[in-house]
């Protein structure tokens, strides 16, 4: 879990922890859901700077890990009360469906006058943001494993803000979202045993893109604090250059040096950490936006580091629990053969 020094560093973070604890939920889990809810309200054309490679999206993938009935969906409910989303250009708290269904969330059939002056219905992008919530990670695994399924590839592309959709011939099925014209964040509640298969898919590239949080919180107080109310999100109108979030020079240099060592073959990261700095940049940027800023400073970067280390610890916990479960199964099978 995130340490006290993290929560005590800013009034906004204390506010989120108090809200979570007032409803007997994990502060970590509520925080990650709040970050996703802030993300989808940031204009999609605003991106991370191209320190390494090209510019990158602020789209987020969040995984909340718990045992059955351990507070996955209710942590998301607390985040909804903290950060309500009531915008015509954002669709919030909807299930994912298929990869095609994700793209479809952004489109509607709208009346439009053609060159002959006649009205007809055409498919147009009418939404700029979408927040998807899935209560059971098992369903994600099942949907992703279907033959020809596009869900997981779509999630990976959408996380990067890349082009997603299908260039079909008919008006009804043609749906293409251009790069950085949409904001998409996803919150998935995983039971412990169903998170392991996703994390095992390092080769597929999905788990590297997630921020994980535990729905277990050993730091709950003995008595619930008062509900602090909604947390105001004052998203600034424009970044300094109109499109790019700024990062302090020390942070840019750290990111560049890490990428340089990897590119030169001097450092080989854990496959599950192959996108670690980019995920950290996303988290740091959203923490800055929570404070009403478009520039990421060293404090934002340090707080994002806490979140990333905690995410890695949760991921390692899931892997160790999966190995222990597998070992128990093997031991039970060996005992059965021996008898």
């Amino acid at each position: 879990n995130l340490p006290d020094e993290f929560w005590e560093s800013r009034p906004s973070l204390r506010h989120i922890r108090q809200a979570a604890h007032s409803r007997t939920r994990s502060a970590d889990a509520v925080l990650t859901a709040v970050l996703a809810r802030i993300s989808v309200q940031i204009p999609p054309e605003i991106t991370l700077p191209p320190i390494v490679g090209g510019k990158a999206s602020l789209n987020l993938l969040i995984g909340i890990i718990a045992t059955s009935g351990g507070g996955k969906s209710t942590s998301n409910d607390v985040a909804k009360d903290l950060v309500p989303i009531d915008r015509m250009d954002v669709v919030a708290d909807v299930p994912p469906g298929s990869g095609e269904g994700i793209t479809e969330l952004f489109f509607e059939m709208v009346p439009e006058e053609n060159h002959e002056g006649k009205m007809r219905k055409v498919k147009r992008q009418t939404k700029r943001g979408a927040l998807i919530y899935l209560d059971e990670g098992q369903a994600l695994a099942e949907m992703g494993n279907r033959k020809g399924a596009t869900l997981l590839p779509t999630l990976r592309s959408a996380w990067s803000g890349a082009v997603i959709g299908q260039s079909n011939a008919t008006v009804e099925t043609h749906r293409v979202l251009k790069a950085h014209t949409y904001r998409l964040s996803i919150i998935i509640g995983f039971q412990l045993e169903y998170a392991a298969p996703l994390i095992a898919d390092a080769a597929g590239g999905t788990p590297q893109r997630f921020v994980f949080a535990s729905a277990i919180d050993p730091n709950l107080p003995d008595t619930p604090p008062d509900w602090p109310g909604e947390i105001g999100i004052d998203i600034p109108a424009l970044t300094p250059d109109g499109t790019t979030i700024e990062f302090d020079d020390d942070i840019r240099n750290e990111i560049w040096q890490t990428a340089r060592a990897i590119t030169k073959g001097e450092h080989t990261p854990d496959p599950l950490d192959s996108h670690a700095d980019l995920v950290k940049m996303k988290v740091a940027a959203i923490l800055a936006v929570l404070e009403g800023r478009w520039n990421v400073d060293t404090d934002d970067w340090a707080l994002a580091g806490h979140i990333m280390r905690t995410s890695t610890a949760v991921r390692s916990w899931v892997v160790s629990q999966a190995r222990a479960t597998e070992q128990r199964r093997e031991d039970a099978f060996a005992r059965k053969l021996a008898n």
Side-chain angles (χ1 to χ4, degrees), residues 39-334:
S39 167
V40 296
Q41 298 184 73
I42 298 172
E45 60 270 17
I46 293 176
T47 63
L48 299 172
I51 300 172
V52 176
K55 61 184 181 180
S57 169
L58 287 166
N59 298 349
L60 275 184
L61 299 179
I62 300 297
I64 299 175
I65 313 295
T67 55
S68 179
K72 304 182 301 296
S73 61
T74 49
S75 295
N76 185 57
D77 290 339
V78 176
K80 285 196 286 186
D81 289 343
L82 270 172
V83 185
I85 298 175
D86 184 21
R87 286 175 41 174
M88 294 299 293
D89 64 337
V90 177
V91 56
D93 305 302
V94 293
S98 61
E100 295 86 350
I102 288 176
T103 310
E104 188 71 21
L105 291 172
F106 293 86
F107 289 88
E108 292 180 294
M109 298 296 291
V110 297
E112 187 175 285
E113 186 175 337
N114 64 16
H115 65 281
E116 297 175 345
K118 296 180 179 179
M119 299 300 294
R120 61 171 186 166
K121 283 198 169 184
V122 295
K123 181 164 284 190
R124 293 285 183 262
Q125 181 183 349
T126 58
K127 307 296 182 184
R128 286 162 56 82
L131 177 66
I132 291 172
Y133 177 72
L134 181 62
D135 188 40
E136 290 296 342
Q138 180 185 14
L140 175 70
E142 290 172 351
M143 286 186 284
N145 288 332
R146 292 173 188 164
K147 185 176 181 180
T150 59
L151 179 58
L152 292 181
T154 298
L155 293 188
R156 292 191 288 268
S157 296
W159 178 83
S160 302
V163 176
I164 60 172
Q166 298 77 37
S167 299
N168 296 324
T170 65
V171 173
E172 292 77 12
T173 59
H174 180 91
R175 51 179 92 80
V176 175
L177 288 169
K178 296 180 180 179
H180 305 300
T181 63
Y182 64 95
R183 181 73 69 222
L184 178 68
S185 288
I186 300 169
I187 305 168
I188 302 175
F190 288 98
Q191 285 190 38
L192 183 58
E193 60 268 31
Y194 297 126
L198 173 78
I199 292 174
D201 184 31
T206 304
Q208 297 93 320
R209 291 165 166 83
F210 269 83
V211 177
F212 293 103
S214 173
I216 296 172
D217 189 341
N219 300 311
L220 281 170
D222 294 335
T223 57
D226 293 334
W227 172 255
E230 295 179 12
I231 187 166
I233 307 299
D234 184 20
I235 296 177
L238 291 173
T239 60
D241 72 350
T243 60
T244 306
I245 293 179
E246 297 298 318
F247 281 70
D248 282 3
D249 288 343
D250 288 346
I251 302 171
R252 296 174 70 96
N253 184 59
E254 178 185 328
I255 295 167
W256 191 87
Q257 293 292 350
T258 299
R260 175 178 178 271
I262 293 171
T263 303
K264 291 184 68 175
E266 298 171 351
H267 171 62
T268 303
D270 184 315
L272 288 172
D273 292 328
S274 58
H275 293 302
D277 268 357
L278 182 49
V279 178
K280 187 177 176 181
M281 288 177 69
K282 291 172 184 256
V283 171
I286 296 169
L287 288 172
V289 171
L290 178 58
E291 301 302 309
R293 292 184 278 104
W294 285 130
N295 66 291
V296 174
D297 61 24
T298 53
D299 286 340
D300 301 316
W301 191 244
L303 293 173
H306 278 299
I307 292 173
M308 293 304 297
R309 286 189 293 274
T310 303
S311 173
T312 300
V314 172
R315 189 184 72 197
S316 298
W317 171 59
V318 171
V319 171
S320 66
Q321 292 297 307
R323 287 173 179 165
T325 299
E326 184 60 29
Q327 186 62 53
R328 286 194 294 271
R329 288 174 181 162
E330 291 177 1
D331 292 345
F333 183 69

